[in-house]
Amino acid sequence: MALATFSVRMDESLKRQFDALCSDFGMNATTAFNVFARAVVRERRIPFEIQASDDITRQDGMQAFMALRAQAKENGVQDLTLEEINEEIRKSRYGEETE
């Protein structure tokens, strides 16, 4: 089987940490990347979950909430009660005109 070169750029500190950990496992970085590549091909997926951190999710959620809050204030509906909100939702669902 012919070999190919695969070059990866990464933060120098991360590389040092990765190399040290691979050494603890008894392998080098090349072997670790080969193990990863074989797992991806075999399983036909990334063999671990990739997701955004909770901090980003919370920040995005808070920004969306604050934007909705500002929009409600602009439209003069920031003080609606829960019953009034539910009535607006009901009217919207059933195609009724809102006042």
Side-chain angles (χ1 to χ4, degrees):
M1 174 184 354
L3 297 178
T5 300
F6 184 81
S7 179
V8 176
R9 293 190 185 278
M10 70 173 64
D11 178 79
E12 189 176 329
S13 173
L14 176 61
K15 183 183 182 312
R16 278 194 305 272
Q17 292 174 46
F18 184 71
D19 286 339
L21 188 57
C22 288
S23 180
D24 288 347
F25 294 151
M27 65 177 82
N28 60 26
T30 299
T31 302
F33 279 110
N34 275 294
V35 168
F36 171 75
R38 288 177 193 280
V40 169
V41 170
R42 181 181 61 249
E43 297 179 28
R44 301 184 51 79
R45 67 180 186 88
I46 301 295
F48 50 84
E49 186 175 342
I50 300 173
Q51 67 182 43
S53 72
D54 289 340
D55 290 341
I56 292 172
T57 302
R58 286 187 190 127
Q59 182 181 10
D60 291 344
M62 185 54 76
Q63 286 175 347
F65 173 76
M66 295 307 286
L68 286 172
R69 197 173 190 186
Q71 186 179 9
K73 188 172 185 177
E74 267 180 36
N75 294 330
V77 293
Q78 76 272 17
D79 295 324
L80 288 177
T81 66
L82 182 56
E83 290 78 22
E84 291 169 326
I85 292 169
N86 285 331
E87 180 62 17
E88 289 295 318
I89 292 170
R90 187 191 66 73
K91 287 178 181 177
S92 176
R93 282 184 180 160
Y94 299 106
E96 298 176 20
E97 291 293 318
T98 57
E99 298 166 7

